[in-house]
Amino acid sequence: MYTPEIRLDGEHLELVRLRAIVESCGEGLVVIQNDQFVFANDRATELLQTTRAEMMAQGYLVRVHPQDRDWIEDRRHQRLAGQAVPSRYEVRTLLESGDVRWLDIGVTMIPWGGAPATLTFFSDITERKQAHAELQRASSEREAILHNALVGIVMSVDRHNQWVNDKFSQMVGYGREELIGMPSAMLHPDRAVWEQLGREQRTALVATSTSSSVRQLKRRNGELFWVQMEGQCVRKNDPDAGVIWTFLDITERLKAENDTRVALEQQKELNNLRSRFVAMTSHEFRTPLSTILSSAELLKYYDERLPQAEKSKILKTIEDGVQRMKRMLDRVLLLGKVEAHMLEFRPRAVNLQQICQDLVEDTRAQHPLSICEITTNFTDPAIEGVFDEKLLHHILGNLLSNALKYSPQGGAVHFRVVCSGEHTLFEVSDQGIGIPHDEIQHLFESFHRASNVGDIPGTGLGLAIVKNAVDLHGGSISVSSVPGRGSTFTVRL
Ligand code: ATP
Ligand code: MG
């Protein structure tokens, strides 16, 4: 077969090569001059779904979407006038089929046939635009869900907030913009604790990609609140790539748990109190009652035969028994009044020395059989102070009476009053049976008696009344004791 040999000179060869590049570059390529297309490659006609002839016949604006025509035209005029305009942009084209396509356009000025023209490359980016819009819609939907979550959510990198949801911003009282970039230390009450927490969380995140802790956070106004915080690495076992944290405010839950615990403890204490009360009454009331009963029986059966002196003695025993029970009942009633906050606090100027001296006399009279020796030491011979006299009687009367009662072998009872500036210190010490160390903390609870009291009678209410009277004065009381050696009670008012 004969194939004619076509020879091309250098210039033609160059043109053929250029044409081949232009047609095979994959992008639409047009040249526009005087608002008309003067050149279009095959890809351009394909993308615009038209023919070259049609394109050449109509102005270039026909190919631009009606809503984009104004600005495209403006921009073209500016470019031709030599003004700086962007050379890359996105524009819509309206195809004859009615389809709208997005084009990514690059424009540059070139001379064409000796006059200025624009060379425009373009490609169809409709799919990319749609994918982008879809992505944006999906991510704004996701963001809306995250914002409406009932837990605070934070994405953090290197312990700095990168993203926070509305709930978290409400929790801590800072705006979302303020929180972005903020180090999490700002939201923790203590720097050292925050650093320690960071180390613990990092260890857990590296090992398991998750971390869980219960923490106190600080709101903008300084208020502290409890959160359950759960962390999850964005990339497995790599906290440096970012961690998603969720925060659940558990302040109310902890408060409710605490209230329940307090209520349970109160219930327990009430049960203990009831047992102590039953133990005390069955012991302390039974003794005088059986004395009264046996005395009454003696009188009933031997009345005629008993000499008068013996009868008087028996009647005195009955009287003493009744008095003892009455005293106990008075104490129970007084404590009831104290605990119902019915005890009044009426401070006024009193002569302390006189009161203390009277109290010592009363105590001696109450314990006529005691072989203790009471010594007093009042630093100021005429101490004046502002106290509630009735409460002072309860406080010092009980302490002095205990000192004698719990010193059955006698010994020195020392009563000291020292006025120092704003406070007055009252100290009662004895050399009696003392108190076992681990029982001291319970002595101020009602009906509580130490295990070493033996037969010494008592209701276990005196110190409870003392404590309340001291509290009403805004004072304090302390005890030191060595079993078998003695005790010292110190009151500061
Ligand atoms: P009462 O109600 O009659 O005073 P009580 O003396 O037993 O009875 P509190 O005065 O409250 O009750 O004292 C409580 C307990 O503290 C006593 O039972 C005793 O065990 C212990 N106690 C108090 N004072 C002394 C003291 N000076 N020495 C040793 N034990 C003491
Ligand atoms: Mg007592």
Side-chain angles (χ1 to χ4, degrees):
M1 203 169 71
Y2 169 74
T3 313
E5 196 177 301
I6 301 165
R7 286 177 186 274
L8 294 172
D9 58 24
E11 202 176 321
H12 275 100
L13 197 61
E14 193 59 26
L15 271 173
V16 169
R17 279 196 194 128
L18 273 175
R19 176 129 218 140
I21 292 171
V22 162
E23 289 303 346
S24 61
C25 71
E27 295 213 355
L29 197 155
V30 291
V31 177
I32 301 168
Q33 194 171 45
N34 299 328
D35 299 342
Q36 292 290 329
F37 290 112
V38 292
F39 175 81
N41 70 350
D42 289 347
R43 181 72 180 140
T45 57
E46 199 182 308
L47 287 175
L48 299 174
Q49 291 184 5
T50 181
T51 61
R52 193 170 280 117
E54 242 174 14
M55 279 179 73
M56 300 297 167
Q58 299 159 336
Y60 83 98
L61 268 181
V62 172
R63 301 292 147 197
V64 178
H65 191 287
Q67 284 174 10
D68 289 346
R69 280 180 192 159
D70 285 350
W71 68 267
I72 283 285
E73 210 178 356
D74 281 354
R75 196 168 276 188
R76 178 169 167 75
H77 289 147
Q78 283 167 3
R79 177 175 295 109
L80 291 171
Q83 290 172 16
V85 282
S87 60
R88 190 89 196 262
Y89 44 91
E90 291 170 0
V91 66
R92 285 169 296 177
T93 179
L94 180 62
L95 302 179
E96 254 154 53
S97 63
D99 265 10
V100 177
R101 310 291 297 176
W102 277 95
L103 304 177
D104 177 28
I105 287 195
V107 187
T108 180
M109 296 285 296
I110 53 159
W112 188 268
T118 53
L119 171 66
T120 305
F121 292 90
F122 60 96
S123 52
D124 190 327
I125 55 162
T126 312
E127 269 75 38
R128 199 178 82 199
K129 286 284 271 194
Q130 279 168 352
H132 186 69
E134 181 60 26
L135 198 71
Q136 259 188 343
R137 194 182 57 76
S139 70
S140 52
E141 260 175 28
R142 227 159 279 157
E143 191 151 320
I145 292 169
L146 293 175
H147 279 309
N148 287 311
L150 289 174
V151 290
I153 303 174
V154 173
M155 151 81 183
S156 85
V157 175
D158 194 21
R159 307 193 84 191
H160 283 67
N161 307 322
Q162 302 297 309
W163 185 91
V164 303
N165 73 343
D166 286 344
K167 178 71 186 174
F168 187 74
S169 141
Q170 286 160 16
M171 263 184 184
V172 293
Y174 288 95
R176 289 187 59 221
E177 298 71 29
E178 293 173 283
L179 285 166
I180 309 289
M182 183 190 272
S184 62
M186 295 272 293
L187 304 170
H188 285 254
D190 182 291
R191 181 109 199 161
V193 175
W194 172 78
E195 278 166 6
Q196 172 64 21
L197 174 70
R199 285 190 286 274
E200 288 166 14
Q201 289 178 334
R202 191 179 172 77
T203 311
L205 288 167
V206 168
T208 64
S209 286
T210 60
S211 157
S212 173
S213 27
V214 170
R215 282 285 130 193
Q216 241 184 345
L217 293 189
K218 190 175 69 178
R219 296 189 219 280
R220 177 184 222 139
N221 63 9
E223 192 188 331
L224 299 180
F225 66 108
W226 286 95
V227 289
Q228 164 95 40
M229 63 188 285
E230 305 285 337
Q232 171 85 49
C233 286
V234 173
R235 208 162 56 207
K236 204 162 177 268
N237 304 102
D238 181 10
D240 294 333
V243 182
I244 307 281
W245 293 100
T246 59
F247 296 84
L248 181 65
D249 188 337
I250 54 166
T251 314
E252 288 300 314
R253 194 185 85 197
L254 289 185
K255 195 177 158 298
E257 280 172 11
N258 195 46
D259 288 352
T260 313
R261 200 169 35 243
V262 167
L264 275 175
E265 269 161 22
Q266 278 172 351
Q267 185 61 42
K268 221 164 99 188
E269 173 53 24
L270 213 64
N271 286 346
N272 283 340
L273 188 77
R274 206 172 47 197
S275 331
R276 292 203 301 268
F277 176 72
V278 170
M280 185 281 290
T281 37
S282 55
H283 182 258
E284 294 300 314
F285 277 53
R286 205 178 275 267
T287 315
L289 273 177
S290 27
T291 316
I292 292 167
L293 190 68
S294 56
S295 304
E297 275 171 353
L298 273 179
L299 289 177
K300 189 171 159 190
Y301 295 116
Y302 305 103
D303 186 26
E304 305 291 302
R305 282 176 273 162
L306 287 172
Q308 191 51 44
E310 193 64 23
K311 271 195 217 171
S312 305
K313 218 168 122 194
I314 293 171
L315 283 170
K316 175 85 171 64
T317 313
I318 293 177
E319 246 172 46
D320 285 352
V322 171
Q323 282 302 335
R324 184 171 159 189
M325 286 175 59
K326 187 179 167 296
R327 267 201 307 277
M328 281 194 274
L329 278 176
D330 283 347
R331 276 181 168 252
V332 174
L333 290 178
L334 178 62
L335 189 82
K337 230 169 146 183
V338 168
E339 291 190 338
H341 302 290
M342 281 164 66
L343 212 62
E344 281 170 313
F345 176 53
R346 290 215 189 103
R348 60 184 182 82
V350 294
N351 181 339
L352 262 191
Q353 173 140 27
Q354 191 55 52
I355 291 177
C356 293
Q357 220 103 51
D358 292 350
L359 274 167
V360 170
E361 295 313 315
D362 287 355
T363 312
R364 261 201 253 267
Q366 259 179 46
H367 299 272
L369 302 179
S370 169
I371 49 169
C372 289
E373 197 190 322
I374 306 180
T375 58
T376 56
N377 178 351
F378 307 141
T379 48
D380 189 330
I383 312 167
E384 291 264 342
V386 179
F387 303 98
D388 181 307
E389 195 172 337
K390 225 165 153 186
L391 297 182
L392 211 56
H393 268 97
H394 287 315
I395 299 170
L396 302 174
N398 272 302
L399 294 183
L400 285 167
S401 152
N402 279 351
L404 295 197
K405 196 162 79 165
Y406 296 108
S407 302
Q409 309 296 326
V413 167
H414 197 62
F415 181 24
R416 198 158 75 97
V417 182
V418 183
C419 287
S420 64
E422 289 174 18
H423 298 284
T424 306
L425 184 138
F426 302 87
E427 193 182 86
V428 178
S429 60
D430 62 60
Q431 297 175 320
I433 62 170
I435 305 158
H437 182 71
D438 48 347
E439 295 182 44
I440 288 182
Q441 51 173 328
H442 297 297
L443 296 187
F444 298 98
E445 295 165 16
S446 322
F447 306 115
H448 224 110
R449 306 200 69 205
S451 55
N452 62 337
V453 292
D455 290 338
I456 304 172
T459 54
L461 288 180
L463 289 181
I465 294 166
V466 168
K467 176 81 171 72
N468 273 288
V470 169
D471 287 348
L472 281 171
H473 273 95
S476 65
I477 180 164
S478 61
V479 189
S480 71
S481 179
V482 180
R485 300 277 293 277
S487 314
T488 301
F489 284 78
T490 310
V491 173
R492 267 186 197 77
L493 298 182

